[in-house]
Amino acid sequence: MAIRVIAEHLSEDEIADLKEMFKMIDADNSGQITFEELKVGLDRVGATLKESEILCTYAGNVDNSRTIDYGEFIAATLHLNKIKREDHLFAAFSYLDKDGSGYITQDELQQACEEFGVKDVKLEDMIREVDQDNEDGRID
């Protein structure tokens, strides 16, 4: 979700090439990319990804549909390109930290999941995995 937040806050200049790539891969102009379209499109642009890496990109689909929309595509390609600019990460953290406390709580993650249409997520496990001090149940 953090990568999705970063993707949604990038400028048009920062994602212009990815936008064009999405349009090219979306063969039927539906605004959604199927796995087959993704596979063919990435091959067409010369991406040298193994099928397992393409599946990981497809797994970037946070709303559990069988297609990838534009925002999910941008987030997945950002992840593949390992964009981790600190200012973007801070912006994503700030977006998720609704009350500005400096921590992301389970309630704030729940709210973000609802905003992004993410269902069936075990928030306790997510927090436990990321909570560095493993004591307070929140992400800082």
Side-chain angles (χ1 to χ4, degrees):
M1 281 186 295
I3 292 174
R4 179 79 186 256
V5 171
I6 291 169
E8 290 180 359
H9 288 88
L10 293 173
S11 72
E12 283 295 317
D13 290 341
E14 291 174 295
I15 58 172
D17 291 339
L18 296 176
K19 186 175 188 176
E20 289 306 311
M21 185 185 293
F22 180 87
K23 288 179 183 178
M24 190 270 309
I25 292 173
D26 182 17
D28 62 359
N29 295 314
S30 66
Q32 303 284 322
I33 296 175
T34 65
F35 177 72
E36 193 56 38
E37 284 177 318
L38 181 62
K39 201 164 94 170
V40 169
L42 289 175
D43 187 50
R44 192 177 322 134
V45 297
T48 55
L49 298 174
K50 299 176 196 161
E51 187 153 327
S52 61
E53 292 172 312
I54 295 171
L55 283 169
C56 285
T57 303
Y58 201 69
N61 172 2
V62 296
D63 65 5
N64 299 316
S65 67
R66 297 208 174 269
T67 59
I68 298 175
D69 67 25
Y70 177 68
E72 292 165 341
F73 176 79
I74 299 298
T77 36
L78 289 176
H79 180 68
L80 283 175
N81 291 320
K82 298 181 178 18
I83 291 180
K84 296 182 179 177
R85 289 182 35 194
E86 191 171 321
D87 54 336
H88 291 311
L89 292 175
F90 182 74
F93 183 89
S94 297
Y95 177 84
L96 296 170
D97 179 20
K98 298 291 186 191
D99 64 3
S101 66
Y103 300 98
I104 300 171
T105 64
Q106 183 172 337
D107 289 340
E108 289 168 327
L109 278 179
Q110 179 65 45
Q111 184 179 352
C113 286
E114 290 170 8
E115 287 176 24
F116 285 100
V118 178
K119 299 176 181 159
D120 302 325
V121 176
K122 295 182 180 179
L123 296 175
E124 300 85 15
D125 293 343
M126 186 185 299
I127 289 175
R128 194 174 311 112
E129 183 178 327
V130 180
D131 182 15
Q132 293 182 353
D133 57 24
N134 288 319
E135 293 180 17
D136 58 7
R138 51 190 190 174
I139 301 167
D140 53 343

